[in-house]
Amino acid sequence: MSPASPSVHPSAAAAPRGYPGLPAQITHGPRSRPRVALTFHGQGDPALARALLTTAERHGARLTVLAVGTWLDEHPDLARRILDGGHDLGNHTQRHIGVNTLAEADARREITDCAERLKRLTGSIGTWFRPSRAPTASPLVARLARAAGYPHVLSYDVDSLDYTRPGAAAVTREVLAGVRNGSVVSLHFGYPDTVAALPDVLTELGRRGLRAVTTTELLS
């Protein structure tokens, strides 16, 4: 079966949408509603990715995954696994290099190459774009993302720091110390600490009355 076969994406995934009144770079959702978005940089060991998705679903949570294009090339089945679980899927550049530091043509290619892979696998370029190796996009990268079809850049207001491998308890503490209504939390696939922390994070969010939803639902 070729990658372009329609059977790869029996129903096309949601396309990006603009949110009038929201900034070009979104760091959080409405502070008036008890919802949060747990967003994951998508790369690393696919077994850890599947474990995180399964844990979230068991808790009734939905995630947002910003996938790296080379990761999708190696694990194309994960695009459909993410969408079948009811999660958002977006673009985190093709090679996960410092996109803000690149020349315009190279930065454009990082965005569009990942978008093309998402579209081939799912029928959509993904609902969100997040720059690689930076919390926010440079003006150039934000413009290139808009030109590629992403009206907004997805940033965050809570950084779990899980990529520093501080241990599961520290990841849990970092998230819960910063999270509040409308928060967008930055997490990563590929780190065992994150897998170990997620049940405690979700349990405590529930205790606080905060529901973990996709970023699309957070902003809708």
Side-chain angles (χ1 to χ4, degrees):
M1 182 171 62
S2 77
S5 167
S7 60
V8 173
H9 46 86
S11 57
R17 54 176 284 199
Y19 295 85
L22 290 187
Q25 302 211 46
I26 293 170
T27 56
H28 62 83
R31 298 299 192 189
S32 56
R33 289 183 295 190
R35 300 177 184 174
V36 300
L38 303 181
T39 68
F40 286 80
H41 303 236
Q43 62 175 351
D45 183 348
L48 296 179
R50 291 189 182 94
L52 283 161
L53 293 167
T54 300
T55 297
E57 290 154 15
R58 202 174 286 137
H59 282 78
R62 295 295 176 264
L63 312 177
T64 300
V65 180
L66 294 312
V68 176
T70 52
W71 186 70
L72 292 174
D73 288 342
E74 292 170 12
H75 313 290
D77 58 304
L78 280 169
R80 179 48 55 185
R81 168 67 185 87
I82 290 161
L83 293 174
D84 284 350
H87 311 284
D88 272 2
L89 179 62
N91 177 332
H92 195 39
T93 74
Q94 177 59 20
R95 293 176 295 159
H96 201 260
I97 55 180
V99 67
N100 286 344
T101 68
L102 298 177
E104 181 168 351
D106 295 329
R108 179 185 294 109
R109 195 172 306 115
E110 281 296 307
I111 297 167
T112 57
D113 281 3
C114 186
E116 285 163 8
R117 278 152 180 78
L118 285 163
K119 189 165 181 72
R120 189 178 70 229
L121 290 168
T122 72
S124 163
I125 63 169
T127 42
W128 301 101
F129 169 75
R130 173 172 287 168
S132 46
R133 300 197 180 276
T136 57
S138 67
L140 170 64
V141 169
R143 176 168 65 76
L144 294 173
R146 274 196 306 279
Y150 305 96
H152 302 278
V153 172
L154 181 60
S155 185
Y156 46 86
D157 65 327
V158 178
D159 189 345
S160 69
L161 302 177
D162 59 350
Y163 59 91
T164 66
R165 304 174 189 263
V171 172
T172 302
R173 278 197 308 274
E174 199 70 38
V175 172
L176 295 174
V179 76
R180 59 192 177 109
N181 284 8
S183 281
V184 177
V185 183
S186 171
L187 296 141
H188 292 74
F189 283 174
Y191 295 96
D193 290 348
T194 313
V195 179
L198 189 60
D200 288 343
V201 168
L202 291 172
T203 297
E204 178 60 18
L205 290 178
R207 198 187 66 74
R208 296 183 189 181
L210 291 170
R211 196 156 66 90
V213 299
T214 64
T215 305
T216 299
E217 190 175 354
L218 183 74
L219 300 174
S220 296

